[in-house]
Amino acid sequence: MKRHETLPLVPIARGEGVWLYDLDGKRYLDTVSSWWVNLFGHCNPHINAAITDQLGKLEHVMLAGFTHEPVVQLSERLRGLAPAGLGHCFYGSDGASATEIALKMSAHYWRNSGKPEKSQFISLQNSYHGETLGALSVTDVALFRDAYGSLIKQNATVPCPDWRDAGGLENAESYALRCADSLEKHLQVHHASIAALIVEPLVQGAAGMAMYHPIYLKRARELCLRYEVHLIADEIAVGMGRTGTMFACEQGGISPDFLLISKGITGGYLPLSIVMTTDDIYQAFYDDQTARGFLHSHSYTGNPLACRAALATLDIFVQDDVLNANRDKAAIFNRIATPLREHAKVRDFRNTGMIWAFEVDTPHSDFAQRCFTLGLQHELLLRPMGNTVYFMPPYVITEKEMQMLVEHTLTVIDLLS
Ligand SMILES: Cc1ncc(COP(=O)(O)O)c(C=O)c1O
């Protein structure tokens, strides 16, 4: 709040497509999809209509002892879209609660299976899985963790296959394989106490859009199977087409034991999360004894309005052939972004699907704040992480808007480098 003495909050009055408009009518291109949630633009007419229709039928009912059509339809459609074997959906309200649910369900599975000692988790270095206490126990970002260290369970991390760490000495694939070897060494020693490995497939968002080769997912899947450790794929940020496929796991040709979905699932409209899992895990809880069941509830779990927004979002994927259209869009954006990629002060320009990121050489230690402020003056909502500028725009961005985004970002970077 102290920062806002010099940088007032931006009061947003309305949104349309990729644009946010403030109370004075000034517009900002939402280059970060409002924290990575928006897929098809603000105030999308199709999603608006679905929510409005649902409002006239049922706004909410608890998802305990009751069910409703939107949640059943959504579960069935997700079963058809998710990697093979993930036939069960458990509903939560946001990303962090999905992480909590998966961690609890994994450890509880091992307890129900006579292996209660399997209660530790491993995550990748620089991982981010949310900021509730359980999620922080698998989040490796000191800034978010340190103040709560005494409250958080200590779990191990293994090397992250971010190809930038190879320092140009080996390619992304061989670096990913080397990191997978480190994972294997860790599992060899500790597997008896480990319930699950949790990863952000292909792109570690909060680490600064760290990108890695899909071979890592393949090896991690093999190793988790060999060492009897669950694999949790946190696709809260990277799912719903962000990396170019509906789910990033598809690019590694794998099915995890748990798939976490949130953010874009409602098109960025309403809070909803889903933990998808396998029949094997489901069966471990199917019992007469209540204590063997999975007891985890949130008041708004599976809210019908959120489920309708999600169904409308999935409709758009089909109607507009979004994954193919995005492939073309990404190619166009990469061409338009050439001056950025080749800018003397830009390093490690990278792209996966509809995510772009690069580092800026700058003398300013407060680059992120300056870039945000200057961005606003140039009609852009930019939200760098440290020196990393990234774009994760709504999929409805047009070529003209891409052009403007690149040109204005170049202006901002020239002023700060
Ligand atoms: C990979 C990942 N997991 C979990 C979360 C937490 O989601 P939420 O902010 O909805 O709690 C995020 C949020 O950015 C995320 O990027």
Side-chain angles (χ1 to χ4, degrees), residues 36 94-96 99 128-130 200 234 236-237 262-263:
W36 322 344
D94 53 43
T99 302
Y128 181 93
H129 298 287
E200 292 157 85
D234 175 351
I236 289 163
S262 189
K263 291 195 185 271

Side-chain angles (χ1 to χ4, degrees), residues 163-200:
W163 55 257
R164 289 172 302 166
D165 294 342
L169 299 174
E170 58 191 315
N171 66 26
E173 182 170 4
S174 78
Y175 188 65
L177 286 170
R178 202 145 62 78
C179 290
D181 290 344
S182 301
L183 169 64
E184 175 157 29
K185 287 197 184 85
H186 188 90
L187 290 175
Q188 269 166 356
V189 179
H190 300 288
H191 67 94
S193 62
I194 297 173
L197 162 70
I198 181 165
V199 298
E200 292 157 85

